[in-house]
Amino acid sequence: MTATDRTETQTHTVRLELVDEPGELLRALKPISENGGNLMSIYHERGNLTPRGHIPVEIDFSCAPHQFETIVDALRGEGVNVIQAGTERYDEELTVLLVGHLVDTDLSDTLQKIEACANASLKDLSLSAPKGTEEASSALLRLAARSGTTEETLSTLRSIADGKDLHVVEPLTEGSR
Amino acid sequence: MTGRLAVIGAGAVGRSVVELAGEYGYSVTAVADSSSAAIDSEGLDAEAVLDRKDETGSVGNETPEAALDAAYDVLIEATPTTLGDAEPGFSHVEAALERDRHAVLANKGPVAERYGDLMDLVDASEGDIRFEATVGGAIPALSTIEDVGATNITAARGVLNGTANFILTRMAAEGLDYEHVLAEAQDLGVAEADPTFDVEGTDAALKCVILANVLGQGDREFTLSDATVEGITNVPGSALELAAESGRTVRLVGEASPGAVRVGPRLIPENGTLAVSGTQNIVQLETEHAGQLNISGRGAGGPETATAVLSDVGRLF
């Protein structure tokens, strides 16, 4: 068992910021492949800029757990700015309803709080406020959460909602097949 | 065994038990409502008793207490559910067990609020109790758990309140708001004038508490105060619309595991097993070795609930 544990590959996501110059992306990819990482996807967010005016890039790769730190160290050693280095991808999708006075309680602040502390990223949002801001409105949120953190994400979501007198209609994660 | 029943409580369930008992081969020797009782150790004429109740408002000339002392084999406790000390239902069951008689409950109070006390009484008695009718009306939820074995079941969940389910189903189908559909449900007799018990999730929570008590097998006793409960009053029509756009819907789902009881509106797949419509109920059991078991059916109503009561009577003999 221990032997396989050491070699079992996991998918990792790193977020980098790159200067918009030729060869920059290749410079960032080399430390990954050279240290045993298997590239899975590269998302080059052209048109988006980080606060420092660089281009954010999200890279998914798989490697054995013990190789991950080596790769991040190698990236930093090459002078690449690693913004975020997760050990797991956001690979659990979570759909929740948020109900209440969403607009009056500053929806964008609510969403920022969710992204900041809920260990999740917002993939999609639909808002329905048929009666304007007078009555309760609803939002359906599609969140990507790190695998195994669904419960934690939901509990954070509940406390954010509580603070604004909103209600969360949670998904039934079991038994709804 | 002749099967003599003393029916305490003459609401929809009690009346239906009196009406159907003969068909099941039992005789009714006592019927009590809140102010009177009819007693005949040779067996009452069901129709005559119910006619009298309709005409005069009382079932007979005796006091309700006299019904507890009547000759019977099984006491049917069908008075309205009360919380806290679960009286007077609890005392009715106690009276039966102290006489070494059996009791069948349709009243959720004693099993949800005083499960431990009730089991102590059973231990000290030659009589036994059953309470299939307290969870999911006609659905044989508790007897299925008994058959499968509580230790082989890891959790139970389900849609256990027909009123709340009717309201959510109509809201989703018609794009109407809660208040509007509630008024409609009241007109149809699906919701009571005071719907609090149903729409705030209390009724579903009591059923889940009973499920948890049965699944827990005495290791841990639950009461309503241990349950996390949220009703459907905060779910606007717009929430159901958004849910439908993504192939989902909202149902008031109750969950009972040996460790926790929770009731609240939940997002579930629109065509999933738990998305029963109208006043239908469903109980889903998660088994250790055999996946899920789903039983759906009518969760309320006089004859439906009386069916569960009379099946329980049959199991006692």
Side-chain angles (χ1 to χ4, degrees):
Chain A
M1 272 310 281
T2 32
T4 51
D5 280 350
R6 270 193 73 76
T7 54
E8 198 179 337
T9 62
Q10 257 185 318
T11 309
H12 302 271
T13 302
V14 291
R15 251 178 102 77
L16 318 170
E17 58 175 1
L18 298 177
V19 183
D20 193 8
E21 277 171 18
E24 275 295 297
L25 182 61
L26 190 63
R27 192 167 69 88
L29 297 180
K30 265 176 84 178
I32 298 174
S33 51
E34 278 173 359
N35 288 286
N38 178 33
L39 279 167
M40 296 174 74
S41 77
I42 301 159
Y43 183 47
H44 203 184
E45 298 177 27
R46 277 193 180 280
N48 232 349
L49 291 180
T50 65
R52 301 201 303 176
H54 297 165
I55 297 173
V57 181
E58 200 168 274
I59 302 173
D60 289 340
F61 60 90
S62 63
C63 67
H66 67 277
Q67 290 173 319
F68 182 65
E69 259 181 68
T70 317
I71 289 173
V72 175
D73 287 348
L75 279 166
R76 291 193 166 126
E78 285 292 317
V80 175
N81 190 21
V82 181
I83 308 171
Q84 204 180 64
T87 51
E88 279 173 290
R89 283 170 70 187
Y90 289 119
D91 53 3
E92 272 183 23
E93 194 176 294
L94 197 62
T95 304
V96 299
L97 272 168
L98 210 54
V99 173
H101 290 279
L102 297 169
V103 181
D104 289 350
T105 56
D106 195 349
L107 183 59
S108 70
D109 171 69
T110 308
L111 299 177
Q112 266 169 23
K113 282 198 166 113
I114 292 170
E115 286 221 293
C117 31
N119 215 0
S121 78
L122 182 67
K123 291 176 76 177
D124 190 26
L125 171 118
S126 334
L127 178 72
S128 173
K131 297 193 175 140
T133 56
E134 306 257 305
E135 286 189 29
S137 47
S138 308
L140 188 84
L141 277 62
R142 264 197 325 129
L143 298 167
R146 293 183 196 286
S147 67
T149 63
T150 305
E151 260 321 303
E152 207 183 309
T153 305
L154 284 171
S155 117
T156 313
L157 210 57
R158 273 196 294 268
S159 65
I160 293 171
D162 275 354
K164 297 190 166 204
D165 207 18
L166 303 173
H167 295 274
V168 185
V169 177
E170 295 173 31
L172 186 73
T173 45
E174 283 174 80
S176 50
R177 292 180 289 278
Chain B
M1 185 69 70
T2 49
R4 297 167 300 170
L5 313 182
V7 181
I8 313 299
V13 177
R15 290 181 67 114
S16 292
V17 171
V18 172
E19 252 165 350
L20 297 175
E23 242 179 79
Y24 279 73
Y26 307 120
S27 64
V28 177
T29 49
V31 180
D33 58 23
S34 56
S35 63
S36 70
I39 298 164
D40 186 340
S41 56
E42 298 299 311
L44 290 159
D45 177 345
E47 214 180 304
V49 172
L50 297 178
D51 282 350
R52 184 190 155 133
K53 170 81 178 163
D54 286 337
E55 281 157 27
T56 68
S58 64
V59 290
N61 295 323
E62 311 271 350
T63 63
E65 293 74 30
L68 298 173
D69 300 325
Y72 65 84
D73 302 301
V74 184
L75 179 132
I76 312 296
E77 196 350 15
T79 62
T81 294
T82 51
L83 305 180
D85 64 4
E87 292 294 1
F90 187 88
S91 291
H92 296 158
V93 176
E94 184 174 30
L97 290 170
E98 276 176 355
R99 283 177 60 189
D100 290 328
R101 297 292 191 272
H102 301 303
V104 169
L105 294 94
N107 173 355
K108 292 177 276 291
V111 228
E113 295 285 67
R114 298 181 66 182
Y115 191 74
D117 292 344
L118 207 53
M119 288 304 144
D120 288 346
L121 292 176
V122 172
D123 285 345
S125 171
E126 295 286 313
D128 202 353
I129 62 163
R130 298 198 68 95
F131 42 92
E132 180 67 81
T134 60
V135 181
I139 299 172
L142 301 178
S143 50
T144 303
I145 291 176
E146 193 174 15
D147 276 358
V148 175
T151 47
N152 295 319
I153 294 173
T154 51
R157 64 183 78 86
V159 171
L160 292 164
N161 186 275
T163 306
N165 204 61
F166 175 88
I167 292 173
L168 289 173
T169 309
R170 291 287 294 164
M171 283 172 71
E174 308 296 327
L176 296 169
D177 257 321
Y178 170 77
E179 299 296 338
H180 192 113
V181 178
L182 173 63
E184 181 196 45
Q186 284 168 328
D187 286 345
L188 289 170
V190 171
E192 294 182 36
D194 177 7
T196 318
F197 219 58
D198 297 312
V199 299
E200 294 294 354
T202 315
D203 173 71
L206 288 170
K207 291 164 180 168
C208 288
V209 165
I210 295 170
L211 284 168
N213 280 333
V214 171
L215 291 177
Q217 298 176 291
D219 287 345
R220 179 175 167 191
E221 184 187 341
F222 284 87
T223 66
L224 185 60
S225 59
D226 300 310
T228 310
V229 189
E230 199 188 327
I232 60 163
T233 53
N234 291 315
V235 180
S238 57
L240 285 151
E241 264 170 52
L242 285 177
E245 280 169 20
S246 69
R248 295 175 171 84
T249 191
V250 178
R251 287 290 182 269
L252 184 66
V253 175
E255 296 173 281
S257 64
V261 172
R262 178 180 173 192
V263 172
R266 304 291 283 273
L267 265 174
I268 59 171
E270 205 168 17
N271 299 314
T273 315
L274 289 177
V276 291
S277 41
T279 55
Q280 287 280 301
N281 282 22
I282 183 164
V283 175
Q284 183 171 73
L285 303 174
E286 201 74 54
T287 69
E288 195 85 61
H289 308 294
Q292 287 175 354
L293 287 172
N294 296 288
I295 326 169
S296 62
R298 295 189 187 171
E304 290 84 350
T305 311
T307 299
V309 168
L310 289 162
S311 296
D312 266 352
V313 174
R315 291 181 189 108
L316 285 166
F317 291 130

